[in-house]
Amino acid sequence: MKQILFLLLIIATTCKAQIYPLNTRISDLPLNAYVKDIDGELDKYVGLWKGNWNGKTIYIEMKKVKYNYDEYYKDMILGERKIVNSNGVVEIDRIKSFDYDSPEFKGIFYNFQGEKEFLFSPKNMCKKIASLNITRFTSTQMTLHFEYLPSLYDSSCIHNAYEQQHGDFPINFPKDIILTKQ
């Protein structure tokens, strides 16, 4: 009986030791560790956010999930977007079928300047990735600044002709936007 209690104590201690706070460096994690949002830091980002630009309305649904990185788990914010043009036509709606495996938005990360950001990987854009720097945040508003991250040229990309003609990919996302929590 003492051996069973001792074994249960070791298992409970080991499992508890596998949980680490969000600010833990990845290099310090053992295999299968869980980087957990212990203090609820990510909760303020969760929900539906809405903004307007050039006559369009964007909705971004943010969800907090336990994300699997193969060697460890981490609480993250995942997001998908919906864009409605000024005529009420839905141009993009990824919220309706939220993709937990490959969402357009992932975060929260810190850039080299220590600013919080999301990574934005728009679908069907030839693996282009952008950072969305959070330049201002309150409990009801969030300001995002869009910047492409360096990427390789994809000669088979269906948008190359568009990019050569217009100087940009048809990302359908503003360079700067203020989002209001709904």
Side-chain angles (χ1 to χ4, degrees):
M1 185 66 158
K2 287 182 183 180
Q3 291 176 337
I4 292 173
L5 288 174
F6 180 70
L7 182 61
L8 288 174
L9 179 64
I10 289 175
I11 291 171
T13 305
T14 304
C15 291
K16 190 171 187 175
Q18 294 291 315
I19 295 176
Y20 297 86
L22 281 179
N23 63 351
T24 304
R25 291 184 354 199
I26 303 309
S27 61
D28 294 339
L29 295 175
L31 191 63
N32 294 320
Y34 177 19
V35 181
K36 185 174 176 61
D37 183 18
I38 296 168
D39 298 324
E41 297 171 52
L42 299 177
D43 294 342
K44 60 188 173 189
Y45 300 100
V46 173
L48 184 65
W49 296 82
K50 178 182 174 184
N52 297 292
W53 96 100
N54 293 340
K56 297 181 182 187
T57 302
I58 186 169
Y59 299 90
I60 301 178
E61 178 78 26
M62 301 286 190
K63 298 180 180 187
K64 182 168 88 170
V65 299
K66 183 178 179 180
Y67 196 78
N68 182 349
Y69 276 103
D70 292 333
E71 295 183 1
Y72 65 95
Y73 298 86
K74 183 177 181 180
D75 282 344
M76 301 221 10
I77 297 293
L78 303 182
E80 294 286 12
R81 66 184 165 144
K82 176 180 180 177
I83 297 178
V84 181
N85 71 20
S86 59
N87 296 324
V89 175
V90 176
E91 295 181 356
I92 296 172
D93 188 356
R94 296 191 46 82
I95 292 174
K96 187 172 26 176
S97 55
F98 201 100
D99 185 352
Y100 290 91
D101 294 323
S102 184
E104 287 194 317
F105 303 91
K106 273 188 194 174
I108 297 286
F109 299 104
Y110 291 88
N111 63 21
F112 292 116
Q113 292 79 30
E115 301 165 325
K116 292 179 181 177
E117 67 182 10
F118 294 102
L119 290 182
F120 176 45
S121 304
K123 299 301 175 213
N124 302 318
M125 285 297 137
C126 309
K127 301 179 184 174
K128 291 291 179 196
I129 299 175
S131 65
L132 297 174
N133 297 325
I134 302 170
T135 58
R136 191 171 78 72
F137 188 89
T138 68
S139 60
T140 59
Q141 287 195 325
M142 173 170 46
T143 303
L144 299 177
H145 175 70
F146 175 101
E147 283 187 30
Y148 282 112
L149 294 175
S151 62
L152 298 174
Y153 179 76
D154 181 357
S155 61
S156 65
C157 178
I158 61 171
H159 300 294
N160 285 340
Y162 182 94
E163 190 271 336
Q164 289 169 0
Q165 183 179 1
H166 300 282
D168 199 359
F169 284 83
I171 297 286
N172 210 357
F173 200 88
K175 293 292 182 192
D176 293 285
I177 191 163
I178 298 172
L179 301 171
T180 302
K181 196 166 195 178
Q182 302 301 294

